[in-house]
C-alpha cells in the first residue's frame, strides 16, 4: 500500500519472504553467504569509505589514524616560541563560558605597582571534569587556549588531572603542527595582540614558567639594560632596550650586535683617515660600552641553569664552518684586545676582562674545549659566547684603530650573523 | 525450609522483596507480593512434600536489570512471570538521572549545547538541532540556508548511524552476538569520522550554534561523504540480505511485541516505533522544519506493529536518509549564506516568553521546551525525550510473551538511557 503525500509517499514495508526461494532455511543460508563474504574480505585491508569489506580496524598503539585538524580533546595554553611569552591575558572569558566550570585562573599583578597586568599568574584546568566542548578555545579573543590532540591521558594518579600552567603550556609551533590551517587563520591577529600585550608586561611576567632558562635570560637582559642605562656614555641605551622586549634574541646577542655596530661605525670613522693619534673620545666611550655589554653577555653565557631546550625552540644556529670561524675570531680577538689594552694607555680594563673571560682557557687547549662546548651547548649559551666574541672584535677594532689584518674578515662574519642594524642608540 | 527466597544479587532489607526504585514506584507492589519461588528441594532437609503450595505454580516477581547487559544501560524491569510467561512488566527508570534539566537552568543558553550531546549520546547532532531550534525560536535568530543544509545533512547521517547501531544491538539481543553489530559499527565509524572532521569530536559533537554551525565543512568532507554514499546502498542491501529473510530472526521477531496503532497513539509513542505500528507520522513531513520541505523522501510504515515491522521500517529509513543526503549534496553548493549567521549572538538573552521546538530525531519526536524570563539562563528547560516516552508502553508490549522476548522487544524500541533518565 502506498499513499502519495507531498514530495514522497507513505510506503508500507513488505513483510516476509520476498525471494522466490521459499524453501525453509534458504534465508539463513543467504545470510550466511554475507558472513562468508566478510570473512573472505578479512584478509585484506579496507579500501576506504566506499568499501564495506576488509579489515577496517587499526592496530592501535603501533598504527595511529591521522586525526583531523578540528579534533579536540583537552585544552592547552599556547606560548610564543620566540619570546616565550604566553598568549593568555587572563581575560576570564574562558573561565566564564566553561560549562562545567573547570577553568580557574588568577591575573598577574605588577609587583611594583600592584596593578593588574595582561598576563596570567596561575591557570588551572581540571581535566577530569572537562567535557571537551571546545568553548574555551572558541571564545578566547587572544587565541591563547586551544584544543589538544593528545588523548592518552589515563593515569592512576587522580591529582595529575588537575593541570597547572606548567603542564598546559605548549609552544605555538606545536599547535601549528597539529592544526596548520586553523592556526594560519588566526595567526596574524593573535601575534599582533601578543606584541601589544608584551609591551604592557613588566619584568618577566607572562613568560611561560616552565622555561626557567628563558626567564633567567630575560632577567639578565633587563639587568643588562639597567646596567647600560647607568653607564655614563649611553643614557639613551636604557629606554631603547627597555622598549625592545620583543625578540627572543637573548640579551647577549642584542648587546653584541649593538656593540658591533657601534664598533663598526667607530671603525668606519677611524679607518678612512690615517687614524688620528688620540682616537676621538666618542670612539673610546663606545668601546667601553661595548666592553661592558660583552662582559654581561659573557656572564650570561655562563648561566649554570640549563634545562632541556623546548622542542619548539630553534636549534643552535651556527653551522660548523661559522663556528670554526667564530672560534678562530675569538682567539684572535683575545690576542688583539690584549695587545690593544697594552698599547693604549686609557684602554678600559673591562675590555680585557671581556676578552679573557669567554675564552677562559689557554688558546691551544681552549680551542678544543670550546669547540666541544659549542657543539653541545644550548642555543642561547652558544649565542652568548658568539656575542662575546663579536664584542671583543668590536672592542679591539675601536681600541686598536683597525690595524689588524684579520679584522675585516671577522667583522664581515659578524655582520652576516647579526640581524643587521638595530638602532644603535648607544652611539648617538 | 522447602521454599526459599530467590537469591538476589544484592542484600535486601528485611521484608522487602525487591530493591525499591529511586522513585519508589513499585515499593508497595513488591511488599504485597513477596518474592517467592517454589523450588523442589531434596528431601534431605526433611521437608514435607505434602504441602499443597509446592505443586501450585505461583506468580513470581523478578528484576531484569538494572545491571544487565541487555537493558541498554542501567534500567530495571520489574517483571511478574508465571513460568516463562510475562504477566506484567513495569519499567523502572531513574538510575541514570543526573539532573540534566536542573543543571541546564543554571547554565547559560550556549553552555547547554554540549549537555544536550549527552542526552542521546548516539545522536548528538539531532539533540543539538532540536535545542538550537528552540533557542532560535525563542530569541528570533535566523539561520542561513547553507547552515540549514549542513544541519540536515548531519542529522540524516545521524539517523543512518543510529539505525545501523540500533539494528546491530537488536540482533545482538536476539543472540546473534556481534556479527551484525560489527557490520553496523563499521558504517557508523565512517560517519563518526565525518563528524570528527567537521566538529572535532566523534560522539559529543557540540557542532551546532545558534544561527548555524560552529565551523564550515572542511574541504576533505564532501569527497569522503560521496565515497560513503557510494557504499551505503551495498551496506543496507547486505544488512537486509543477512537478516530480512533469516528464519531465526523471523521466528524471534514476527508477531512479537505487537503494539497496536491505537495503543501507540494513546501512549504518545513516536518515531520508528509508531511508524512500525502503521501510523504514518513523521515530523519532517507533518510539520516540515529546517529545509525538509525541499527533499523527496518516503515515509515507511509497518502493518502489524511487531518487532519485525520496526526492524523493516528502520532499514527503509536508512535508505530514505541516504536519498535525502544525496539531494543535499546536490543542493548544498547553491545554498546561500555561510555556515553561521554572523549577526547571531551566542550569549543570547531571549525576551520573556516560551518556545517549543521539535524534530524527528532517529528515535522519535525530540522536543525542547524553553521558558525565558529575559535572563541569560533558561527559566525552564524541558526535554521531551523520545526514548522515555517510547519506553512507557513496554509493559503492554511484553504482556503475554516469554521472558526471552522482553529483551528483543526492548531492543526494538531502541532506547538510550542517557535520554530516558536525563
Ligand atoms: S585563555 Fe584566552 S579566554 Fe582564557 S583568560 Fe586567557 S586570553 Fe582570556
Ligand atoms: S573544553 Fe569546555 S569543559 Fe573543557 S575547559 Fe574548555 S570550556 Fe571547559
Amino acid at each position: 500500500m502506498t499513499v502519495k503525500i507531498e514530495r514522497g509517499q507513505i510506503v508500507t514495508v513488505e513483510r516476509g519472504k520476498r525471494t522466490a526461494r521459499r524453501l525453509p532455511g534458504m534465508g539463513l543460508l543467504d545470510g550466511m553467504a554475507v558472513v562468508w563474504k566478510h570473512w573472505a574480505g578479512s584478509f585484506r585491508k579496507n579500501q576506504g569509505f566506499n568499501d564495506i569489506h576488509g579489515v577496517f580496524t587499526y592496530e592501535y598503539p603501533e598504527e595511529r589514524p591521522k586525526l583531523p585538524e578540528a579534533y579536540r580533546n583537552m585544552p592547552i595554553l599556547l606560548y610564543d616560541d620566540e619570546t616565550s611569552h604566553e598568549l593568555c591575558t587572563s581575560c576570564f572569558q574562558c573561565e566564564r563560558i566553561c560549562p562545567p566550570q573547570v577553568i580557574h585562573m588568577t591575573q598577574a599583578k605588577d609587583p611594583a605597582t600592584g596593578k593588574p597586568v595582561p598576563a596570567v599568574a596561575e591557570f588551572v584546568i581540571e581535566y577530569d571534569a572537562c567535557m571537551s566542548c571546545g568553548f574555551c578555545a572558541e571564545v578566547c579573543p587572544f587565541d591563547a587556549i586551544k584544543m589538544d590532540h593528545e588523548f592518552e591521558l589515563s593515569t592512576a594518579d587522580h591529582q595529575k588531572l588537575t593541570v597547572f600552567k606548567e603542564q598546559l603550556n605548549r609552544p605555538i609551533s606545536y599547535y601549528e603542527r597539529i592544526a596548520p590551517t586553523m592556526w594560519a587563520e588566526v595567526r596574524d591577529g593573535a601575534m599582533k595582540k601578543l606584541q601589544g600585550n608584551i609591551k604592557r608586561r613588566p619584568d618577566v611576567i607572562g613568560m611561560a614558567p616552565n622555561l626557567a632558562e628563558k626567564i633567567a635570560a630575560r632577567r639578565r637582559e633587563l639587568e643588562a639594560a639597567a646596567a647600560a642605562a647607568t653607564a655614563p656614555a649611553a643614557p639613551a641605551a636604557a629606554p631603547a632596550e627597555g622598549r625592545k622586549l620583543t625578540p627572543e634574541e637573548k640579551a647577549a646577542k642584542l648587546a653584541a650586535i649593538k656593540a658591533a655596530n657601534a664598533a663598526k661605525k667607530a671603525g668606519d670613522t677611524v679607518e678612512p683617515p690615517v687614524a688620528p693619534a688620540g682616537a676621538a673620545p666618542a670612539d673610546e666611550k663606545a668601546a667601553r660600552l661595548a666592553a661592558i655589554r660583552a662582559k654581561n653577555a659573557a656572564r650570561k653565557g655562563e648561566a649554570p641553569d640549563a634545562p632541556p631546550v623546548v622542542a619548539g625552540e630553534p636549534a643552535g644556529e651556527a653551522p660548523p664552518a661559522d663556528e670554526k670561524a667564530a672560534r678562530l675570531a675569538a682567539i684572535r680577538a683575545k690576542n688583539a684586545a690584549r695587545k690593544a689594552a697594552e698599547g693604549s694607555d686609557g684602554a678600559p680594563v673591562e675590555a680585557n676582562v671581556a676578552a679573557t673571560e669567554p675564552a677562559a682557557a689557554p688558546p691551544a687547549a681552549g680551542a678544543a674545549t670550546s669547540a666541544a662546548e659549542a657543539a653541545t651547548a644550548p642555543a642561547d649559551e652558544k649565542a652568548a659566547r658568539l656575542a662575546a666574541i663579536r664584542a671583543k672584535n668590536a672592542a679591539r677594532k675601536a681600541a686598536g684603530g683597525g690595524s689588524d689584518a684579520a679584522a675585516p674578515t671577522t667583522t664581515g662574519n659578524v655582520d652576516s650573523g647579526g640581524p643587521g642594524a638595530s638602532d644603535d642608540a648607544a652611539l648617538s | 525450609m522447602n521454599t526459599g527466597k530467590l537469591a538476589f544479587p544484592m542484600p535486601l532489607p528485611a521484608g522487602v522483596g525487591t530493591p525499591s526504585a529511586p522513585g519508589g514506584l513499585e515499593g508497595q507492589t513488591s511488599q504485597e507480593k513477596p518474592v517467592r519461588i517454589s523450588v523442589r528441594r531434596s528431601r534431605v532437609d526433611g521437608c514435607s512434600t505434602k504441602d499443597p503450595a509446592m505443586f501450585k505454580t505461583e506468580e513470581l516477581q523478578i528484576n531484569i536489570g538494572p545491571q544487565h547487559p541487555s537493558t541498554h544501560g542501567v534500567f530495571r524491569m520489574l517483571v511478574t512471570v508465571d513460568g516463562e510467561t510475562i504477566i506484567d512488566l513495569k519499567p523502572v527508570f531513574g538510575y541514570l538521572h543526573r539532573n540534566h534539566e536542573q543543571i541546564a537552568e543554571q547554565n547559560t543558553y550556549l553552555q547547554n549545547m554540549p549537555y544536550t550531546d549527552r542526552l542521546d549520546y548516539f545522536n548528538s547532532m539531532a539533540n543539538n538541532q532540536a535545542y538550537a531550534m528552540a533557542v532560535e525560536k525563542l530569541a528570533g535568530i535566523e539561520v542561513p540556508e547553507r547552515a540549514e543544509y549542513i544541519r540536515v545533512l548531519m542529522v540524516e547521517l545521524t539517523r543512518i548511524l543510529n539505525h545501523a547501531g540500533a539494528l546491530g544491538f537488536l540482533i545482538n539481543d536476539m543472540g546473534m552476538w556481534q556479527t551484525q553489530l560489527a557490520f553496523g559499527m563499521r558504517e557508523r565509524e565512517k560517519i563518526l569520522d565525518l563528524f570528527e572532521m567537521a566538529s572535532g569530536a566523534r560522539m559529543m559533537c557540540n557542532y551546532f550554534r545558534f544561527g548555524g554551525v560552529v565551523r564550515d565543512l572542511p574541504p576533505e568532507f564532501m569527497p569522503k561523504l560521496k565515497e560513503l554514499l557510494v557504499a551505503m546502498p551495498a551496506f543496507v542491501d547486505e544488512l537486509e540480505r543477512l537478516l530480512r529473510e533469516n528464519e531465526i530472526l523471523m521466528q524471534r521477531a514476527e508477531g512479537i511485541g505487537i503494539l497496536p496503532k491505537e495503543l501507540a497513539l494513546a501512549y504518545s509513542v513516536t518515531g520508528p516505533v509508531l511508524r512500525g505500528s502503521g501510523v504514518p507520522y513523521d515530523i519532517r513531513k507533518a510539520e516540515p522544519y529546517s529545509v525538509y520541505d525541499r527533499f523527496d523522501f518516503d515515509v515507511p510504515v509497518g502493518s502489524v506493529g511487531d518487532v519485525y515491522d520496526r526492524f523493516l521500517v528502520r532499514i527503509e529509513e536508512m535508505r530514505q536518509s541516504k536519498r535525502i543526503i544525496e539531494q543535499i549534496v546536490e543542493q548544498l553548493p547553491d545554498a546561500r549564506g555561510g555556515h553561521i549567521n554572523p549577526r547571531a549572538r551566542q550569549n543570547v538573552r531571549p525576551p520573556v516568553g516560551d518556545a517549543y521546538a521539535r524534530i524527528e530525531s532517529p528515535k522519535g519526536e525530540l522536543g525542547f521546551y524553553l521558558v525565558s524570563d529575559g535572563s541569560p539562563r533558561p527559566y525552564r528547560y524541558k526535554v521531551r525525550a523520545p526514548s522515555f516516552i517510547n519506553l512507557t508502553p513496554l509493559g503492554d508490549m511484553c504482556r503475554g510473551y516469554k521472558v526471552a522476548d522482553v529483551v528483543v522487544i526492548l531492543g526494538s524500541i531502541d532506547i538510550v538511557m542517557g535520554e530516558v533518565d536525563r
Side-chain angles (χ1 to χ4, degrees):
Chain A
M1 181 200 77
T2 56
V3 181
K4 286 235 54 85
I5 52 171
E6 206 178 323
R7 307 207 71 146
Q9 53 194 2
I10 295 164
V11 287
T12 307
V13 289
E14 215 179 306
R15 291 171 65 92
K17 298 222 170 213
R18 283 205 293 201
T19 46
R21 303 182 309 257
R22 301 250 169 200
L23 285 173
M26 280 313 282
L28 208 56
L29 288 178
D30 208 24
M32 279 307 284
V34 173
V35 177
W36 280 104
K37 206 168 154 197
H38 276 278
W39 179 80
S42 68
F43 293 97
R44 63 173 178 82
K45 267 232 158 297
N46 183 271
Q47 302 297 311
F49 275 40
N50 50 10
D51 186 11
I52 62 166
H53 294 102
V55 179
F56 58 96
T57 47
Y58 288 95
E59 311 229 339
Y60 160 61
E62 291 85 31
E63 202 185 341
R64 281 153 194 271
K66 198 177 164 293
L67 292 169
E69 261 185 52
Y71 178 78
R72 57 185 151 85
N73 193 32
M74 291 287 160
I76 48 169
L77 289 176
L78 297 186
Y79 67 82
D80 185 20
D81 286 86
E82 288 180 6
T83 56
S84 77
H85 266 281
E86 291 161 349
L87 273 65
C88 176
T89 63
S90 77
C91 68
F92 294 94
Q93 293 279 341
C94 52
E95 189 184 295
R96 227 169 281 146
I97 193 121
C98 178
Q101 301 281 295
V102 298
I103 300 181
H104 314 282
M105 71 183 90
T106 50
Q107 191 165 30
K109 289 212 163 51
D110 189 342
T113 62
K115 285 210 181 101
V117 174
V120 67
E122 188 47 278
F123 198 105
V124 186
I125 301 181
E126 295 164 55
Y127 268 15
D128 47 352
C130 167
M131 64 203 292
S132 299
C133 65
F135 277 155
C136 47
E138 261 167 60
V139 292
C140 180
F142 300 94
D143 293 294
I145 191 164
K146 292 285 174 197
M147 301 309 280
D148 198 2
H149 284 195
E150 182 57 57
F151 53 83
E152 289 157 325
L153 300 165
S154 53
T155 169
D157 182 4
H158 194 182
Q159 288 301 316
K160 275 203 188 116
L161 292 173
T162 300
V163 188
F164 291 85
K165 199 163 73 164
E166 284 84 349
Q167 292 94 50
L168 288 170
N169 268 332
R170 302 277 188 291
I172 283 176
S173 54
Y174 168 80
Y175 184 67
E176 203 171 7
R177 187 161 52 76
I178 60 173
T181 60
M182 282 168 70
W183 177 248
E185 278 167 24
V186 298
R187 182 182 51 216
D188 293 345
M191 293 317 279
K192 214 167 131 197
K193 284 176 194 160
L194 176 65
Q195 298 306 339
N197 285 324
I198 289 176
K199 279 186 196 145
R200 294 162 57 201
R201 291 174 178 174
D203 197 30
V204 294
I205 291 173
M207 294 181 76
N210 43 328
L211 305 180
E213 180 200 2
K214 293 256 190 153
I215 292 174
R218 174 75 188 130
R219 275 247 156 77
R220 283 193 297 270
E221 184 186 346
L222 290 168
E223 272 164 25
T230 53
E241 273 195 76
R243 191 161 40 78
K244 206 182 235 326
L245 308 179
T246 15
E248 153 247 33
E249 301 290 310
K250 300 86 205 169
K253 214 167 183 181
L254 194 72
I257 293 155
K258 283 197 175 160
N261 282 333
K264 202 167 63 169
K265 275 210 187 154
D268 286 348
T269 49
V270 170
E271 260 173 341
V274 200
D283 279 359
E284 232 175 274
K285 248 186 252 174
R288 193 176 305 164
L289 190 70
I292 292 166
R293 284 193 184 156
K295 201 173 76 170
N296 285 332
R299 208 194 313 138
K300 265 168 248 157
E302 247 98 274
D305 55 330
V309 187
V310 189
E313 204 168 290
E317 68 265 285
D322 264 7
E323 227 173 271
K324 225 193 267 178
R327 215 183 326 131
L328 199 70
I331 297 162
R332 279 183 189 162
K334 208 178 82 173
N335 292 333
R338 204 183 300 148
K339 252 191 248 168
E342 281 163 15
S344 68
D345 50 339
V349 192
E350 290 93 331
N352 206 352
V353 176
T356 46
E357 232 178 35
T369 51
S370 72
E373 268 172 31
T376 55
D380 69 344
E381 218 175 295
K382 229 192 307 193
R385 194 169 302 166
L386 197 70
I389 293 162
R390 284 173 187 168
K392 243 185 305 171
N393 281 334
R396 173 180 42 96
K397 254 211 246 162
S403 58
D404 200 287
T409 57
T410 36
T411 30
N413 205 347
V414 166
D415 279 353
S416 68
S422 60
D423 54 340
D424 40 36
L427 198 72
S428 59
Chain B
M1 276 290 283
N2 49 6
T3 59
K5 279 203 169 159
L6 182 67
F8 278 96
M10 62 185 99
L12 295 172
V16 180
T18 53
S20 77
L25 280 175
E26 74 312 310
Q28 286 176 331
T29 324
S30 55
Q31 268 175 346
E32 283 162 10
K33 298 180 187 172
V35 179
R36 281 179 172 273
I37 186 164
S38 357
V39 184
R40 186 184 288 261
R41 284 275 179 87
S42 71
R43 297 184 183 192
V44 183
D45 307 37
C47 70
S48 156
T49 51
K50 304 258 164 45
D51 188 352
M54 289 290 286
F55 303 105
K56 209 181 103 209
T57 58
E58 257 181 72
E59 282 181 11
L60 168 71
Q61 263 188 338
I62 56 165
N63 284 300
I64 304 181
Q67 306 288 349
H68 192 277
S70 74
T71 54
H72 297 241
V74 272
F75 169 53
R76 181 156 69 95
M77 288 173 280
L78 183 64
V79 189
T80 310
V81 288
D82 186 356
E84 275 281 306
T85 313
I86 308 283
I87 306 289
D88 195 14
L89 183 146
K90 281 199 174 99
V92 182
F93 338 111
Y95 291 91
L96 205 59
H97 184 69
R98 54 204 187 283
N99 236 337
H100 177 83
E101 292 177 3
Q102 203 66 53
I103 289 171
E105 285 158 20
Q106 315 291 323
N107 282 346
T108 64
Y109 285 93
L110 180 63
Q111 283 177 341
N112 286 335
M113 190 62 88
Y115 282 99
T116 64
D117 290 339
R118 274 99 177 146
L119 276 175
D120 175 357
Y121 39 80
F122 257 73
N123 308 314
S124 62
M125 292 283 195
N127 304 342
N128 281 184
Q129 190 188 21
Y131 179 63
M133 275 170 60
V135 175
E136 282 153 11
K137 217 166 165 182
L138 198 58
I141 298 170
E142 305 251 299
V143 185
E145 206 179 8
R146 183 178 169 82
E148 290 282 22
Y149 274 101
I150 295 175
R151 285 178 169 195
V152 173
L153 167 63
M154 292 301 175
V155 175
E156 291 307 318
L157 283 173
T158 295
R159 199 180 311 278
I160 292 175
L161 83 80
N162 178 73
H163 288 352
L167 294 180
F169 283 119
L170 171 62
I171 309 309
N172 199 353
D173 288 342
M174 285 182 186
M176 196 187 160
W177 212 222
Q178 300 283 344
T179 314
Q180 171 49 36
L181 187 59
F183 298 163
M185 283 289 158
R186 180 201 51 224
E187 290 314 295
R188 180 169 167 269
E189 284 302 306
K190 290 178 187 171
I191 295 172
L192 292 185
D193 277 348
L194 292 176
F195 285 176
E196 194 178 25
M197 252 180 231
S199 73
R202 302 175 79 79
M203 289 179 76
M204 303 301 138
C205 295
N206 188 20
Y207 186 53
F208 289 38
R209 295 289 178 275
F210 310 135
V213 294
V214 59
R215 64 177 76 80
D216 210 341
L217 301 175
E220 66 271 23
F221 185 91
M222 273 297 160
K224 285 276 185 202
L225 176 66
K226 283 174 189 161
E227 271 183 39
L228 181 75
L229 289 180
V230 170
M232 191 54 67
F235 162 68
V236 181
D237 289 349
E238 203 172 67
L239 199 164
E240 210 177 353
R241 188 175 160 207
L242 177 65
L243 298 170
R244 187 198 159 84
E245 294 171 26
N246 187 317
E247 279 82 2
I248 298 173
L249 180 125
M250 288 173 80
Q251 284 221 338
R252 295 296 308 272
E254 266 188 321
I256 303 292
I258 293 175
L259 180 67
K261 215 186 241 187
E262 297 72 31
L263 197 60
L265 288 170
Y267 270 113
S268 308
V269 165
T270 47
V273 182
L274 180 65
R275 289 192 287 276
S277 294
V279 182
Y281 176 72
D282 187 323
I283 300 169
R284 294 174 293 172
K285 289 285 188 201
E287 188 192 289
Y289 54 92
S290 197
V291 285
Y292 274 112
D293 49 353
R294 304 187 191 182
F295 307 123
D296 296 323
F297 64 98
D298 300 343
V299 180
V301 294
S303 45
V304 178
D306 56 0
V307 173
Y308 195 53
D309 264 344
R310 297 195 270 275
F311 169 81
L312 295 173
V313 164
R314 289 208 173 89
I315 290 185
E316 193 53 35
E317 276 187 16
M318 285 161 76
R319 294 213 172 91
Q320 298 305 325
S321 287
K322 187 209 152 235
R323 244 175 102 187
I324 296 174
I325 294 170
E326 274 170 350
Q327 293 169 58
I328 292 171
V329 170
E330 263 171 43
Q331 297 176 18
L332 185 63
D334 304 328
R336 277 172 286 111
H339 66 280
I340 193 160
N341 180 352
R343 290 194 310 279
R345 281 164 57 86
Q346 296 303 315
N347 49 349
V348 284
R349 231 175 215 281
V352 179
D354 63 344
Y356 179 71
R358 55 183 190 160
I359 66 159
E360 182 70 30
S361 113
K363 291 185 168 64
E365 173 177 335
L366 173 63
F368 280 84
Y369 178 64
L370 298 173
V371 181
S372 166
D373 57 355
S375 74
R377 294 157 211 278
Y379 176 75
R380 179 77 178 96
Y381 168 103
K382 167 90 180 82
V383 188
R384 191 260 186 228
S387 293
F388 174 69
I389 312 255
N390 290 359
L391 197 53
T392 47
L394 184 67
D396 285 320
M397 286 157 86
C398 292
R399 202 162 289 132
Y401 297 102
K402 302 287 183 211
V403 172
D405 295 330
V406 171
V407 176
V408 178
I409 296 167
L410 180 67
S412 77
I413 302 176
D414 182 19
I415 54 159
V416 158
M417 290 316 290
E419 194 177 50
V420 174
D421 287 343
R422 301 194 291 285

